[in-house]
Amino acid sequence: MKYAFPDNFWWGSASSALQTEGAREGETTWDYWFAREPNRFHNGVGPQQTSTFYQHWKTDIQLLKQLNHNSFRTSISWARLIPDGIGEVNPETVDFYHQVIDELNEQGITPFITLFHFDMPMAMQAIGGWENREVVDAYARYAQICFELFGDRVLHWFTFNEPIVPVEGGYLYDFHYPNVVDFRRAATVAYHTVLAHAKAVQAYRAGHYAGEIGIVLNLTPSYPRSQNPADVKAAHIADLMFNRSFLDPVLRGEYPADLVALLKAYDQLPACKPEDSALIAEGKIDLLGVNYYQPRRVKCRDSAVNPQAPFMPEWFFDNYDMPGRKMNPYRGWEIYAPGIYDILVNLRDNYGNPRCFISENGMGVENEQRFIENGQINDKYRIEFISEHLTWLHKGISEGCNCLGYHMWTFIDNWSWCNAYKNRYGFIQLDVETQQRTIKKSGEWFAATALNNSFEQE
Ligand code: BGP
């Protein structure tokens, strides 16, 4: 069967500044944390060792072209643009992003730009990061500067990439700096991120720019183990905490009432100001990026909560290891392609069918060299992963879902936070030592699919 996609469908991939650019001025929390605890990073490899996009951006854009991308998302690094977060703009950084954006446009690759992809300037973290409302204002100023500098040539902006992840990593589960475990502080960070998002949207609207503004959320559909009310309730609470805590404010302009009631009941609500709700209402977006990697399967708890333990989302559910689920063993994530369809249908039926696209989807695999045939990685599993997800995406579109494109994580194998180079995601293999780039089989498959705007499958 042939799966054809709508005209002007966005085919591309996503990356981020810190994961690709390489060592430069402007310290982020990652540089700071790595200098102190390199053991937290796979094989002790830190954010200085990247695919050197800062040097190789021009030839890399040629490679994007070879992959027939018509669009590409990367991020601007706040710390590199404004090293202390609030003061002078670094002119060299401005020149770099101008060149990248211009070259993408010249090559017919529409730039999609994210303003914050996990990379908090250390100077901002030093005054409390997202816990401090001054950082919210500093971010809004940074966003405005970016719109003024690049807003005439960038028509698709994203305030944040996966804003729930720094909340989970930094304030609940200890896999991002500042390694705090404290739900109330996590809730404050999440809340202030939503305010920062809304302020950026406000600034964008006030500037009457030609493009559109959105956010990228990692939506993990929550599936209950059974239809037993206790399992269903567990899935509902997980959905409220991990999806709807951002999805509702950015699409509906307000928080779900039951999330607010739940946090209130456990005295975990962040401090709110009376003017906040009007601001949040102004943060409604034009375009939603959906990152989808894995579903969340949950069941009700089997054991009682230890009342002395720190309050955690898991007070309300246990993770459910569904027998026989298909796993990506390297990343430990379930592979469940229908999830992409369920997300789109949920957006269609419950959120007014917003303009959206798949902004990340992908499969990280360890030691891909073992699949080299005639000098090229034959990553059949990745082609299978993509085509399976695309068939479900196609079904969503044919049923009226407003999905405008599909971007993969990622373009060239890159540095992945604490996992460094453990799992490789790229269409293009990177030799970290020599910086040599070699297109994988999946890159060729994707290039053909993008060119034909379709693919064939039995
Ligand atoms: C997403 C992030 C990316 C990327 C990807 C792969 O959550 O937006 O930055 O890293 O996941 O995940 P990981 O690197 O954790 O394997």
Side-chain angles (χ1 to χ4, degrees), residues 16 19 117-118 161-162 165 291 293 331 333 360 409 416-417 419 423 425:
S16 83
Q19 292 176 274
H117 194 127
F118 307 170
N161 176 78
E162 301 191 351
V165 171
N291 290 359
Y293 288 91
R331 191 61 178 84
W333 287 347
E360 285 181 30
W409 187 269
S416 260
W417 319 108
N419 277 330
N423 305 314
Y425 285 85

Side-chain angles (χ1 to χ4, degrees), residues 71-291:
S71 45
F72 173 65
R73 180 168 68 98
T74 188
S75 68
I76 290 177
S77 164
W78 179 4
R80 286 165 183 174
L81 191 73
I82 309 173
D84 68 358
I86 47 172
E88 296 286 299
V89 169
N90 180 342
E92 258 178 52
T93 305
V94 174
D95 286 348
F96 168 64
Y97 288 121
H98 268 310
Q99 286 173 332
V100 169
I101 289 165
D102 286 347
E103 180 71 10
L104 284 168
N105 277 322
E106 264 162 46
Q107 298 297 330
I109 302 165
T110 305
F112 287 29
I113 299 292
T114 311
L115 292 170
F116 189 96
H117 194 127
F118 307 170
D119 51 351
M120 178 66 88
M122 194 53 215
M124 295 287 91
Q125 189 62 43
I127 59 166
W130 294 119
E131 286 184 83
N132 182 347
R133 281 189 185 238
E134 280 173 39
V135 172
V136 172
D137 291 331
Y139 167 87
R141 172 181 177 267
Y142 153 65
Q144 178 150 5
I145 289 172
C146 291
F147 301 147
E148 283 164 10
L149 286 168
F150 313 112
D152 55 339
R153 282 149 306 133
V154 173
L155 300 180
H156 308 279
W157 290 94
F158 302 91
T159 55
F160 285 88
N161 176 78
E162 301 191 351
I164 192 82
V165 171
V167 176
E168 295 175 356
Y171 296 87
L172 289 173
Y173 304 119
D174 194 15
F175 62 91
H176 279 202
Y177 191 78
N179 314 97
V180 168
V181 177
D182 183 325
F183 191 99
R184 202 170 205 283
R185 291 175 66 183
T188 302
V189 165
Y191 185 62
H192 287 171
T193 307
V194 167
L195 297 182
H197 156 83
K199 284 200 173 201
V201 172
Q202 214 179 31
Y204 193 71
R205 306 263 182 253
H208 301 289
Y209 296 98
E212 58 183 345
I213 188 157
I215 193 167
V216 169
L217 300 181
N218 51 314
L219 298 179
T220 45
S222 289
Y223 298 110
R225 167 182 59 177
S226 76
Q227 288 307 306
N228 178 293
D231 283 344
V232 171
K233 186 175 173 200
H236 175 65
I237 294 182
D239 186 40
L240 284 177
M241 290 204 179
F242 296 108
N243 297 318
R244 296 186 56 194
S245 51
F246 283 94
L247 189 60
D248 281 39
V250 304
L251 286 179
R252 294 184 173 155
E254 60 184 18
Y255 280 95
D258 42 356
L259 176 61
V260 178
L262 181 75
L263 297 200
K264 192 159 184 223
Y266 287 87
D267 194 25
Q268 299 291 331
L269 274 184
C272 307
K273 290 190 177 174
E275 61 272 24
D276 290 350
S277 27
L279 174 64
I280 292 169
E282 281 191 56
K284 285 205 241 170
I285 54 170
D286 309 315
L287 174 66
L288 177 70
V290 175
N291 290 359

